Amino acid sequence: QQQVKQSPQSLIVQKGGISIINCAYENTAFDYFPWYQQFPGKGPALLIAIRPDVSEKKEGRFTISFNKSAKQFSLHIMDSQPGDSATYFCAAIDNAGNMLTFGGGTRLMVKP
Amino acid sequence: NAGVMQNPRHLVRRRGQEARLRCSPMKGHSHVYWYRQLPEEGLKFMVYLQKENIIDESGMPKERFSAEFPKEGPSILRIQQVVRGDSAAYFCASSPTLDNEQFFGPGTRLTVL
């Protein structure tokens, strides 16, 4: 059972555009939601994270929007750049453990 | 301050052989996690260890897979009698305490021929 569903699987955006990736979860015990960026041949690196007590968090060009009632959260990448081309994973951790539950990933390509 | 280190980076084994994957956590980190990433899929949790203890192994296959994190030395993920379906990227992550960011290593890409 996939507890975190991520969409789209792939995304192509023009340079300067906005990239939007969505995730939905089922487990109401999740209380920490990080986003990871992964380049080919590398391990995932934490990009930005949010807890459910806030509805939005912004760091530079990256923004997480969180809708607790809908059990959904999304990543917005403003002014997308070719260097942002990577695979992005949403994830969640519940309040009982420390294991990350990952979404299926979104392969983003930003065209120059 | 070195990050999480994993070796080997690439490992090729024939069916039936054993694979040993090593992970050295970041300095000062006592919590280690192993994840598996199948091609074109997200990462799946396998096991969570602290020094000399397995805390949560709910994601580990019941047979052939084992993990340890000894008092001295790296954490080891061991796969006995490998099969083609074990081909994947295996990532290790570490954190200094519970409820803290997990830092990932570069992964070991296992290919079973």
Side-chain angles (χ1 to χ4, degrees), chain A residues 32 36 38 41-44 46 51 89 93 97-100 102-104 107, chain B residues 9 33 35 37 40-43 45 91 95 98-99 101-102 104-106 109:
Chain A
Y32 179 68
Y36 284 85
Q38 185 180 29
K42 305 291 185 184
L46 180 67
R51 292 197 182 274
F89 293 96
I93 295 179
N98 208 34
M99 66 177 200
L100 286 162
F102 282 87
R107 186 174 292 181
Chain B
R9 295 293 308 277
Y33 316 82
Y35 294 85
Q37 185 176 32
E40 306 300 323
E41 292 188 15
L43 288 79
F45 169 79
F91 290 96
S95 65
L98 201 62
D99 291 336
E101 177 186 348
Q102 295 181 23
F104 281 82
R109 278 144 187 89

PDB file of all heavy atoms in Angstrom, chain A residues 32 36 38 41-44 46 51 89 93 97-100 102-104 107, chain B residues 9 33 35 37 40-43 45 91 95 98-99 101-102 104-106 109:
ATOM      1  N   TYR A  32       5.649  15.255   9.694  1.00  0.00           N
ATOM      2  CA  TYR A  32       6.819  15.953   9.155  1.00  0.00           C
ATOM      3  C   TYR A  32       6.914  15.579   7.691  1.00  0.00           C
ATOM      4  O   TYR A  32       6.886  14.395   7.339  1.00  0.00           O
ATOM      5  CB  TYR A  32       8.076  15.529   9.923  1.00  0.00           C
ATOM      6  CG  TYR A  32       9.365  16.167   9.443  1.00  0.00           C
ATOM      7  CD1 TYR A  32       9.614  17.527   9.610  1.00  0.00           C
ATOM      8  CD2 TYR A  32      10.350  15.397   8.823  1.00  0.00           C
ATOM      9  CE1 TYR A  32      10.798  18.101   9.183  1.00  0.00           C
ATOM     10  CE2 TYR A  32      11.528  15.967   8.401  1.00  0.00           C
ATOM     11  CZ  TYR A  32      11.758  17.316   8.579  1.00  0.00           C
ATOM     12  OH  TYR A  32      12.939  17.888   8.156  1.00  0.00           O
ATOM     13  N   TYR A  36      12.846  15.968  -1.118  1.00  0.00           N
ATOM     14  CA  TYR A  36      14.223  15.658  -1.449  1.00  0.00           C
ATOM     15  C   TYR A  36      14.453  15.858  -2.944  1.00  0.00           C
ATOM     16  O   TYR A  36      13.562  15.618  -3.770  1.00  0.00           O
ATOM     17  CB  TYR A  36      14.557  14.213  -1.073  1.00  0.00           C
ATOM     18  CG  TYR A  36      14.751  14.011   0.413  1.00  0.00           C
ATOM     19  CD1 TYR A  36      13.669  13.788   1.249  1.00  0.00           C
ATOM     20  CD2 TYR A  36      16.023  14.044   0.977  1.00  0.00           C
ATOM     21  CE1 TYR A  36      13.839  13.608   2.611  1.00  0.00           C
ATOM     22  CE2 TYR A  36      16.200  13.865   2.340  1.00  0.00           C
ATOM     23  CZ  TYR A  36      15.111  13.650   3.149  1.00  0.00           C
ATOM     24  OH  TYR A  36      15.276  13.473   4.499  1.00  0.00           O
ATOM     25  N   GLN A  38      17.090  14.706  -6.019  1.00  0.00           N
ATOM     26  CA  GLN A  38      18.085  13.689  -6.334  1.00  0.00           C
ATOM     27  C   GLN A  38      18.565  13.846  -7.767  1.00  0.00           C
ATOM     28  O   GLN A  38      17.772  13.812  -8.707  1.00  0.00           O
ATOM     29  CB  GLN A  38      17.511  12.278  -6.128  1.00  0.00           C
ATOM     30  CG  GLN A  38      18.533  11.162  -6.325  1.00  0.00           C
ATOM     31  CD  GLN A  38      17.945   9.776  -6.123  1.00  0.00           C
ATOM     32  OE1 GLN A  38      16.760   9.552  -6.356  1.00  0.00           O
ATOM     33  NE2 GLN A  38      18.772   8.824  -5.685  1.00  0.00           N
ATOM     34  N   GLY A  41      22.758   9.341 -10.113  1.00  0.00           N
ATOM     35  CA  GLY A  41      23.953   8.790  -9.505  1.00  0.00           C
ATOM     36  C   GLY A  41      24.263   9.315  -8.127  1.00  0.00           C
ATOM     37  O   GLY A  41      25.307   8.975  -7.552  1.00  0.00           O
ATOM     38  N   LYS A  42      23.382  10.116  -7.572  1.00  0.00           N
ATOM     39  CA  LYS A  42      23.611  10.707  -6.247  1.00  0.00           C
ATOM     40  C   LYS A  42      22.523  10.279  -5.279  1.00  0.00           C
ATOM     41  O   LYS A  42      21.481   9.766  -5.656  1.00  0.00           O
ATOM     42  CB  LYS A  42      23.616  12.239  -6.344  1.00  0.00           C
ATOM     43  CG  LYS A  42      24.584  12.808  -7.349  1.00  0.00           C
ATOM     44  CD  LYS A  42      26.016  12.609  -6.923  1.00  0.00           C
ATOM     45  CE  LYS A  42      26.979  13.288  -7.882  1.00  0.00           C
ATOM     46  NZ  LYS A  42      28.391  13.017  -7.512  1.00  0.00           N
ATOM     47  N   GLY A  43      22.792  10.518  -3.989  1.00  0.00           N
ATOM     48  CA  GLY A  43      21.776  10.268  -2.992  1.00  0.00           C
ATOM     49  C   GLY A  43      20.820  11.438  -2.877  1.00  0.00           C
ATOM     50  O   GLY A  43      21.122  12.547  -3.318  1.00  0.00           O
ATOM     51  N   PRO A  44      19.641  11.221  -2.300  1.00  0.00           N
ATOM     52  CA  PRO A  44      18.691  12.321  -2.119  1.00  0.00           C
ATOM     53  C   PRO A  44      19.251  13.364  -1.152  1.00  0.00           C
ATOM     54  O   PRO A  44      19.917  13.026  -0.174  1.00  0.00           O
ATOM     55  CB  PRO A  44      17.470  11.628  -1.514  1.00  0.00           C
ATOM     56  CG  PRO A  44      17.665  10.173  -1.756  1.00  0.00           C
ATOM     57  CD  PRO A  44      19.139   9.949  -1.801  1.00  0.00           C
ATOM     58  N   LEU A  46      18.056  16.801   1.154  1.00  0.00           N
ATOM     59  CA  LEU A  46      16.909  17.547   1.662  1.00  0.00           C
ATOM     60  C   LEU A  46      16.854  18.936   1.041  1.00  0.00           C
ATOM     61  O   LEU A  46      17.840  19.676   1.030  1.00  0.00           O
ATOM     62  CB  LEU A  46      16.984  17.672   3.184  1.00  0.00           C
ATOM     63  CG  LEU A  46      15.846  18.432   3.837  1.00  0.00           C
ATOM     64  CD1 LEU A  46      14.545  17.658   3.691  1.00  0.00           C
ATOM     65  CD2 LEU A  46      16.141  18.700   5.311  1.00  0.00           C
ATOM     66  N   ARG A  51       6.086  21.195   8.736  1.00  0.00           N
ATOM     67  CA  ARG A  51       5.257  20.481   9.711  1.00  0.00           C
ATOM     68  C   ARG A  51       3.825  20.958   9.545  1.00  0.00           C
ATOM     69  O   ARG A  51       3.597  22.076   9.075  1.00  0.00           O
ATOM     70  CB  ARG A  51       5.768  20.738  11.133  1.00  0.00           C
ATOM     71  CG  ARG A  51       7.135  20.110  11.386  1.00  0.00           C
ATOM     72  CD  ARG A  51       7.473  19.992  12.855  1.00  0.00           C
ATOM     73  NE  ARG A  51       8.810  19.430  13.044  1.00  0.00           N
ATOM     74  CZ  ARG A  51       9.078  18.128  13.090  1.00  0.00           C
ATOM     75  NH1 ARG A  51       8.104  17.249  12.969  1.00  0.00           N
ATOM     76  NH2 ARG A  51      10.301  17.703  13.265  1.00  0.00           N
ATOM     77  N   PHE A  89      11.410  14.006  -4.718  1.00  0.00           N
ATOM     78  CA  PHE A  89      10.617  13.079  -3.923  1.00  0.00           C
ATOM     79  C   PHE A  89       9.984  13.822  -2.751  1.00  0.00           C
ATOM     80  O   PHE A  89      10.686  14.531  -2.011  1.00  0.00           O
ATOM     81  CB  PHE A  89      11.479  11.951  -3.356  1.00  0.00           C
ATOM     82  CG  PHE A  89      12.035  11.014  -4.377  1.00  0.00           C
ATOM     83  CD1 PHE A  89      13.329  11.187  -4.871  1.00  0.00           C
ATOM     84  CD2 PHE A  89      11.288   9.959  -4.858  1.00  0.00           C
ATOM     85  CE1 PHE A  89      13.851  10.321  -5.815  1.00  0.00           C
ATOM     86  CE2 PHE A  89      11.804   9.085  -5.806  1.00  0.00           C
ATOM     87  CZ  PHE A  89      13.087   9.267  -6.279  1.00  0.00           C
ATOM     88  N   ILE A  93       7.121  11.477   7.643  1.00  0.00           N
ATOM     89  CA  ILE A  93       7.498  10.700   8.826  1.00  0.00           C
ATOM     90  C   ILE A  93       6.354  10.799   9.824  1.00  0.00           C
ATOM     91  O   ILE A  93       5.799  11.889  10.015  1.00  0.00           O
ATOM     92  CB  ILE A  93       8.786  11.239   9.471  1.00  0.00           C
ATOM     93  CG1 ILE A  93       9.975  11.067   8.532  1.00  0.00           C
ATOM     94  CG2 ILE A  93       9.078  10.532  10.796  1.00  0.00           C
ATOM     95  CD1 ILE A  93      11.267  11.603   9.102  1.00  0.00           C
ATOM     96  N   GLY A  97       7.621   6.977  14.692  1.00  0.00           N
ATOM     97  CA  GLY A  97       8.867   6.396  14.229  1.00  0.00           C
ATOM     98  C   GLY A  97       9.718   7.400  13.510  1.00  0.00           C
ATOM     99  O   GLY A  97       9.429   8.589  13.506  1.00  0.00           O
ATOM    100  N   ASN A  98      10.753   6.934  12.899  1.00  0.00           N
ATOM    101  CA  ASN A  98      11.649   7.841  12.215  1.00  0.00           C
ATOM    102  C   ASN A  98      11.928   7.413  10.788  1.00  0.00           C
ATOM    103  O   ASN A  98      12.830   7.925  10.156  1.00  0.00           O
ATOM    104  CB  ASN A  98      12.962   7.968  12.992  1.00  0.00           C
ATOM    105  CG  ASN A  98      13.616   9.307  12.764  1.00  0.00           C
ATOM    106  OD1 ASN A  98      12.940  10.314  12.600  1.00  0.00           O
ATOM    107  ND2 ASN A  98      14.925   9.324  12.729  1.00  0.00           N
ATOM    108  N   MET A  99      11.165   6.464  10.267  1.00  0.00           N
ATOM    109  CA  MET A  99      11.425   6.043   8.899  1.00  0.00           C
ATOM    110  C   MET A  99      10.687   6.971   7.932  1.00  0.00           C
ATOM    111  O   MET A  99       9.541   7.385   8.190  1.00  0.00           O
ATOM    112  CB  MET A  99      10.970   4.611   8.680  1.00  0.00           C
ATOM    113  CG  MET A  99       9.494   4.388   8.763  1.00  0.00           C
ATOM    114  SD  MET A  99       9.100   2.667   8.409  1.00  0.00           S
ATOM    115  CE  MET A  99       7.389   2.800   7.973  1.00  0.00           C
ATOM    116  N   LEU A 100      11.349   7.304   6.844  1.00  0.00           N
ATOM    117  CA  LEU A 100      10.755   8.128   5.810  1.00  0.00           C
ATOM    118  C   LEU A 100       9.924   7.252   4.880  1.00  0.00           C
ATOM    119  O   LEU A 100      10.381   6.218   4.427  1.00  0.00           O
ATOM    120  CB  LEU A 100      11.858   8.819   4.994  1.00  0.00           C
ATOM    121  CG  LEU A 100      12.575   9.978   5.676  1.00  0.00           C
ATOM    122  CD1 LEU A 100      13.900  10.263   4.977  1.00  0.00           C
ATOM    123  CD2 LEU A 100      11.709  11.225   5.668  1.00  0.00           C
ATOM    124  N   PHE A 102       8.406   7.519   1.241  1.00  0.00           N
ATOM    125  CA  PHE A 102       8.614   8.346   0.070  1.00  0.00           C
ATOM    126  C   PHE A 102       7.477   8.204  -0.933  1.00  0.00           C
ATOM    127  O   PHE A 102       6.867   7.132  -1.071  1.00  0.00           O
ATOM    128  CB  PHE A 102       9.910   7.951  -0.641  1.00  0.00           C
ATOM    129  CG  PHE A 102      11.160   8.467   0.021  1.00  0.00           C
ATOM    130  CD1 PHE A 102      11.767   7.744   1.037  1.00  0.00           C
ATOM    131  CD2 PHE A 102      11.736   9.662  -0.378  1.00  0.00           C
ATOM    132  CE1 PHE A 102      12.921   8.209   1.654  1.00  0.00           C
ATOM    133  CE2 PHE A 102      12.896  10.134   0.233  1.00  0.00           C
ATOM    134  CZ  PHE A 102      13.479   9.407   1.245  1.00  0.00           C
ATOM    135  N   GLY A 103       7.223   9.294  -1.663  1.00  0.00           N
ATOM    136  CA  GLY A 103       6.398   9.217  -2.848  1.00  0.00           C
ATOM    137  C   GLY A 103       7.193   8.589  -3.983  1.00  0.00           C
ATOM    138  O   GLY A 103       8.383   8.310  -3.839  1.00  0.00           O
ATOM    139  N   GLY A 104       6.521   8.378  -5.106  1.00  0.00           N
ATOM    140  CA  GLY A 104       7.153   7.676  -6.216  1.00  0.00           C
ATOM    141  C   GLY A 104       8.157   8.491  -7.015  1.00  0.00           C
ATOM    142  O   GLY A 104       8.903   7.942  -7.823  1.00  0.00           O
ATOM    143  N   ARG A 107      10.209  13.284 -12.141  1.00  0.00           N
ATOM    144  CA  ARG A 107      11.407  13.641 -12.903  1.00  0.00           C
ATOM    145  C   ARG A 107      11.139  14.964 -13.589  1.00  0.00           C
ATOM    146  O   ARG A 107      10.289  15.058 -14.471  1.00  0.00           O
ATOM    147  CB  ARG A 107      11.723  12.555 -13.916  1.00  0.00           C
ATOM    148  CG  ARG A 107      13.025  12.775 -14.659  1.00  0.00           C
ATOM    149  CD  ARG A 107      13.362  11.596 -15.539  1.00  0.00           C
ATOM    150  NE  ARG A 107      13.681  10.415 -14.743  1.00  0.00           N
ATOM    151  CZ  ARG A 107      14.035   9.244 -15.271  1.00  0.00           C
ATOM    152  NH1 ARG A 107      14.112   9.107 -16.575  1.00  0.00           N
ATOM    153  NH2 ARG A 107      14.307   8.224 -14.505  1.00  0.00           N
TER     154      ARG A 107
ATOM    155  N   ARG B   9      30.627   1.791  -4.278  1.00  0.00           N
ATOM    156  CA  ARG B   9      29.619   2.565  -4.998  1.00  0.00           C
ATOM    157  C   ARG B   9      28.891   1.690  -6.001  1.00  0.00           C
ATOM    158  O   ARG B   9      27.697   1.885  -6.257  1.00  0.00           O
ATOM    159  CB  ARG B   9      30.275   3.749  -5.717  1.00  0.00           C
ATOM    160  CG  ARG B   9      30.883   4.793  -4.786  1.00  0.00           C
ATOM    161  CD  ARG B   9      29.805   5.528  -3.987  1.00  0.00           C
ATOM    162  NE  ARG B   9      28.774   6.060  -4.843  1.00  0.00           N
ATOM    163  CZ  ARG B   9      28.859   7.195  -5.494  1.00  0.00           C
ATOM    164  NH1 ARG B   9      29.941   7.954  -5.379  1.00  0.00           N
ATOM    165  NH2 ARG B   9      27.864   7.618  -6.259  1.00  0.00           N
ATOM    166  N   TYR B  33      19.946   4.479   8.873  1.00  0.00           N
ATOM    167  CA  TYR B  33      18.777   3.947   8.173  1.00  0.00           C
ATOM    168  C   TYR B  33      19.224   3.417   6.811  1.00  0.00           C
ATOM    169  O   TYR B  33      20.057   4.028   6.154  1.00  0.00           O
ATOM    170  CB  TYR B  33      17.731   5.050   7.943  1.00  0.00           C
ATOM    171  CG  TYR B  33      17.500   5.937   9.137  1.00  0.00           C
ATOM    172  CD1 TYR B  33      18.355   6.999   9.414  1.00  0.00           C
ATOM    173  CD2 TYR B  33      16.422   5.724   9.992  1.00  0.00           C
ATOM    174  CE1 TYR B  33      18.171   7.820  10.513  1.00  0.00           C
ATOM    175  CE2 TYR B  33      16.220   6.544  11.092  1.00  0.00           C
ATOM    176  CZ  TYR B  33      17.091   7.580  11.347  1.00  0.00           C
ATOM    177  OH  TYR B  33      16.889   8.386  12.437  1.00  0.00           O
ATOM    178  N   TYR B  35      17.722   2.275   2.994  1.00  0.00           N
ATOM    179  CA  TYR B  35      16.599   2.347   2.063  1.00  0.00           C
ATOM    180  C   TYR B  35      17.018   1.666   0.759  1.00  0.00           C
ATOM    181  O   TYR B  35      18.184   1.667   0.381  1.00  0.00           O
ATOM    182  CB  TYR B  35      16.228   3.807   1.760  1.00  0.00           C
ATOM    183  CG  TYR B  35      15.693   4.581   2.933  1.00  0.00           C
ATOM    184  CD1 TYR B  35      16.553   5.197   3.839  1.00  0.00           C
ATOM    185  CD2 TYR B  35      14.322   4.724   3.130  1.00  0.00           C
ATOM    186  CE1 TYR B  35      16.058   5.918   4.919  1.00  0.00           C
ATOM    187  CE2 TYR B  35      13.817   5.451   4.201  1.00  0.00           C
ATOM    188  CZ  TYR B  35      14.694   6.035   5.099  1.00  0.00           C
ATOM    189  OH  TYR B  35      14.198   6.754   6.160  1.00  0.00           O
ATOM    190  N   GLN B  37      16.119   1.498  -3.437  1.00  0.00           N
ATOM    191  CA  GLN B  37      15.461   2.176  -4.552  1.00  0.00           C
ATOM    192  C   GLN B  37      15.546   1.287  -5.776  1.00  0.00           C
ATOM    193  O   GLN B  37      16.623   1.102  -6.350  1.00  0.00           O
ATOM    194  CB  GLN B  37      16.101   3.534  -4.833  1.00  0.00           C
ATOM    195  CG  GLN B  37      15.392   4.335  -5.908  1.00  0.00           C
ATOM    196  CD  GLN B  37      16.000   5.722  -6.102  1.00  0.00           C
ATOM    197  OE1 GLN B  37      17.206   5.924  -5.938  1.00  0.00           O
ATOM    198  NE2 GLN B  37      15.166   6.694  -6.445  1.00  0.00           N
ATOM    199  N   GLU B  40      13.419   3.407 -11.360  1.00  0.00           N
ATOM    200  CA  GLU B  40      12.230   4.226 -11.650  1.00  0.00           C
ATOM    201  C   GLU B  40      11.215   4.242 -10.494  1.00  0.00           C
ATOM    202  O   GLU B  40      10.034   4.527 -10.709  1.00  0.00           O
ATOM    203  CB  GLU B  40      11.533   3.734 -12.929  1.00  0.00           C
ATOM    204  CG  GLU B  40      12.450   3.646 -14.144  1.00  0.00           C
ATOM    205  CD  GLU B  40      13.071   4.973 -14.524  1.00  0.00           C
ATOM    206  OE1 GLU B  40      12.385   6.011 -14.412  1.00  0.00           O
ATOM    207  OE2 GLU B  40      14.251   4.997 -14.925  1.00  0.00           O
ATOM    208  N   GLU B  41      11.664   3.955  -9.293  1.00  0.00           N
ATOM    209  CA  GLU B  41      10.755   3.988  -8.145  1.00  0.00           C
ATOM    210  C   GLU B  41      11.321   4.858  -7.034  1.00  0.00           C
ATOM    211  O   GLU B  41      12.481   5.258  -7.066  1.00  0.00           O
ATOM    212  CB  GLU B  41      10.514   2.569  -7.618  1.00  0.00           C
ATOM    213  CG  GLU B  41       9.727   1.682  -8.556  1.00  0.00           C
ATOM    214  CD  GLU B  41       9.357   0.357  -7.907  1.00  0.00           C
ATOM    215  OE1 GLU B  41       9.458   0.239  -6.674  1.00  0.00           O
ATOM    216  OE2 GLU B  41       8.962  -0.557  -8.648  1.00  0.00           O
ATOM    217  N   GLY B  42      10.472   5.132  -6.052  1.00  0.00           N
ATOM    218  CA  GLY B  42      10.921   5.873  -4.876  1.00  0.00           C
ATOM    219  C   GLY B  42      11.678   4.968  -3.931  1.00  0.00           C
ATOM    220  O   GLY B  42      11.756   3.754  -4.119  1.00  0.00           O
ATOM    221  N   LEU B  43      12.250   5.573  -2.898  1.00  0.00           N
ATOM    222  CA  LEU B  43      12.996   4.817  -1.919  1.00  0.00           C
ATOM    223  C   LEU B  43      12.043   4.129  -0.938  1.00  0.00           C
ATOM    224  O   LEU B  43      11.036   4.707  -0.536  1.00  0.00           O
ATOM    225  CB  LEU B  43      13.942   5.726  -1.141  1.00  0.00           C
ATOM    226  CG  LEU B  43      15.164   6.243  -1.889  1.00  0.00           C
ATOM    227  CD1 LEU B  43      14.822   7.408  -2.799  1.00  0.00           C
ATOM    228  CD2 LEU B  43      16.256   6.632  -0.907  1.00  0.00           C
ATOM    229  N   PHE B  45      11.912   2.155   2.803  1.00  0.00           N
ATOM    230  CA  PHE B  45      12.596   1.918   4.064  1.00  0.00           C
ATOM    231  C   PHE B  45      12.850   0.431   4.262  1.00  0.00           C
ATOM    232  O   PHE B  45      12.002  -0.411   3.969  1.00  0.00           O
ATOM    233  CB  PHE B  45      11.732   2.451   5.212  1.00  0.00           C
ATOM    234  CG  PHE B  45      12.197   2.027   6.573  1.00  0.00           C
ATOM    235  CD1 PHE B  45      13.258   2.657   7.188  1.00  0.00           C
ATOM    236  CD2 PHE B  45      11.560   0.988   7.243  1.00  0.00           C
ATOM    237  CE1 PHE B  45      13.686   2.270   8.447  1.00  0.00           C
ATOM    238  CE2 PHE B  45      11.962   0.596   8.504  1.00  0.00           C
ATOM    239  CZ  PHE B  45      13.031   1.236   9.113  1.00  0.00           C
ATOM    240  N   PHE B  91      20.579   2.862  -0.337  1.00  0.00           N
ATOM    241  CA  PHE B  91      21.033   4.109   0.277  1.00  0.00           C
ATOM    242  C   PHE B  91      21.032   3.989   1.789  1.00  0.00           C
ATOM    243  O   PHE B  91      20.135   3.411   2.390  1.00  0.00           O
ATOM    244  CB  PHE B  91      20.120   5.271  -0.126  1.00  0.00           C
ATOM    245  CG  PHE B  91      20.233   5.665  -1.564  1.00  0.00           C
ATOM    246  CD1 PHE B  91      19.360   5.171  -2.511  1.00  0.00           C
ATOM    247  CD2 PHE B  91      21.237   6.543  -1.978  1.00  0.00           C
ATOM    248  CE1 PHE B  91      19.468   5.534  -3.840  1.00  0.00           C
ATOM    249  CE2 PHE B  91      21.361   6.908  -3.308  1.00  0.00           C
ATOM    250  CZ  PHE B  91      20.471   6.397  -4.236  1.00  0.00           C
ATOM    251  N   SER B  95      21.414  10.237  11.097  1.00  0.00           N
ATOM    252  CA  SER B  95      20.950  11.438  11.793  1.00  0.00           C
ATOM    253  C   SER B  95      21.574  11.451  13.184  1.00  0.00           C
ATOM    254  O   SER B  95      21.917  10.398  13.729  1.00  0.00           O
ATOM    255  CB  SER B  95      19.425  11.489  11.877  1.00  0.00           C
ATOM    256  OG  SER B  95      18.929  10.439  12.673  1.00  0.00           O
ATOM    257  N   LEU B  98      16.943  11.160  17.155  1.00  0.00           N
ATOM    258  CA  LEU B  98      15.621  10.912  16.597  1.00  0.00           C
ATOM    259  C   LEU B  98      14.993  12.262  16.262  1.00  0.00           C
ATOM    260  O   LEU B  98      15.387  13.294  16.802  1.00  0.00           O
ATOM    261  CB  LEU B  98      14.781  10.185  17.644  1.00  0.00           C
ATOM    262  CG  LEU B  98      13.568   9.389  17.163  1.00  0.00           C
ATOM    263  CD1 LEU B  98      14.017   8.274  16.237  1.00  0.00           C
ATOM    264  CD2 LEU B  98      12.842   8.811  18.358  1.00  0.00           C
ATOM    265  N   ASP B  99      14.018  12.269  15.362  1.00  0.00           N
ATOM    266  CA  ASP B  99      13.330  13.497  14.987  1.00  0.00           C
ATOM    267  C   ASP B  99      14.274  14.529  14.411  1.00  0.00           C
ATOM    268  O   ASP B  99      14.132  15.721  14.667  1.00  0.00           O
ATOM    269  CB  ASP B  99      12.595  14.116  16.189  1.00  0.00           C
ATOM    270  CG  ASP B  99      11.413  13.265  16.617  1.00  0.00           C
ATOM    271  OD1 ASP B  99      10.903  12.505  15.782  1.00  0.00           O
ATOM    272  OD2 ASP B  99      11.022  13.357  17.786  1.00  0.00           O
ATOM    273  N   GLU B 101      16.837  15.626  10.818  1.00  0.00           N
ATOM    274  CA  GLU B 101      17.020  15.414   9.391  1.00  0.00           C
ATOM    275  C   GLU B 101      17.907  14.204   9.137  1.00  0.00           C
ATOM    276  O   GLU B 101      18.890  13.981   9.840  1.00  0.00           O
ATOM    277  CB  GLU B 101      17.655  16.646   8.761  1.00  0.00           C
ATOM    278  CG  GLU B 101      17.961  16.490   7.274  1.00  0.00           C
ATOM    279  CD  GLU B 101      18.724  17.660   6.707  1.00  0.00           C
ATOM    280  OE1 GLU B 101      18.813  18.681   7.395  1.00  0.00           O
ATOM    281  OE2 GLU B 101      19.227  17.530   5.578  1.00  0.00           O
ATOM    282  N   GLN B 102      17.560  13.437   8.135  1.00  0.00           N
ATOM    283  CA  GLN B 102      18.368  12.307   7.713  1.00  0.00           C
ATOM    284  C   GLN B 102      19.222  12.730   6.520  1.00  0.00           C
ATOM    285  O   GLN B 102      18.708  13.262   5.537  1.00  0.00           O
ATOM    286  CB  GLN B 102      17.474  11.123   7.325  1.00  0.00           C
ATOM    287  CG  GLN B 102      16.688  10.571   8.504  1.00  0.00           C
ATOM    288  CD  GLN B 102      15.826   9.383   8.126  1.00  0.00           C
ATOM    289  OE1 GLN B 102      16.088   8.694   7.142  1.00  0.00           O
ATOM    290  NE2 GLN B 102      14.800   9.121   8.930  1.00  0.00           N
ATOM    291  N   PHE B 104      21.662  11.593   3.501  1.00  0.00           N
ATOM    292  CA  PHE B 104      21.844  10.395   2.700  1.00  0.00           C
ATOM    293  C   PHE B 104      23.254  10.301   2.130  1.00  0.00           C
ATOM    294  O   PHE B 104      23.874  11.302   1.778  1.00  0.00           O
ATOM    295  CB  PHE B 104      20.839  10.375   1.542  1.00  0.00           C
ATOM    296  CG  PHE B 104      19.463   9.948   1.968  1.00  0.00           C
ATOM    297  CD1 PHE B 104      18.589  10.846   2.553  1.00  0.00           C
ATOM    298  CD2 PHE B 104      19.052   8.637   1.790  1.00  0.00           C
ATOM    299  CE1 PHE B 104      17.318  10.456   2.952  1.00  0.00           C
ATOM    300  CE2 PHE B 104      17.790   8.225   2.181  1.00  0.00           C
ATOM    301  CZ  PHE B 104      16.912   9.136   2.767  1.00  0.00           C
ATOM    302  N   GLY B 105      23.720   9.066   2.005  1.00  0.00           N
ATOM    303  CA  GLY B 105      24.958   8.799   1.306  1.00  0.00           C
ATOM    304  C   GLY B 105      24.708   8.702  -0.194  1.00  0.00           C
ATOM    305  O   GLY B 105      23.572   8.794  -0.654  1.00  0.00           O
ATOM    306  N   PRO B 106      25.778   8.470  -0.974  1.00  0.00           N
ATOM    307  CA  PRO B 106      25.651   8.426  -2.431  1.00  0.00           C
ATOM    308  C   PRO B 106      25.058   7.125  -2.952  1.00  0.00           C
ATOM    309  O   PRO B 106      24.716   7.042  -4.126  1.00  0.00           O
ATOM    310  CB  PRO B 106      27.091   8.589  -2.911  1.00  0.00           C
ATOM    311  CG  PRO B 106      27.908   8.025  -1.800  1.00  0.00           C
ATOM    312  CD  PRO B 106      27.178   8.358  -0.542  1.00  0.00           C
ATOM    313  N   ARG B 109      25.099   0.820  -5.861  1.00  0.00           N
ATOM    314  CA  ARG B 109      24.288   0.242  -6.917  1.00  0.00           C
ATOM    315  C   ARG B 109      24.687  -1.210  -7.111  1.00  0.00           C
ATOM    316  O   ARG B 109      25.785  -1.499  -7.573  1.00  0.00           O
ATOM    317  CB  ARG B 109      24.437   1.053  -8.200  1.00  0.00           C
ATOM    318  CG  ARG B 109      23.522   2.262  -8.168  1.00  0.00           C
ATOM    319  CD  ARG B 109      24.106   3.508  -8.820  1.00  0.00           C
ATOM    320  NE  ARG B 109      23.229   4.656  -8.588  1.00  0.00           N
ATOM    321  CZ  ARG B 109      23.318   5.447  -7.525  1.00  0.00           C
ATOM    322  NH1 ARG B 109      24.243   5.241  -6.608  1.00  0.00           N
ATOM    323  NH2 ARG B 109      22.478   6.452  -7.366  1.00  0.00           N
TER     324      ARG B 109
END
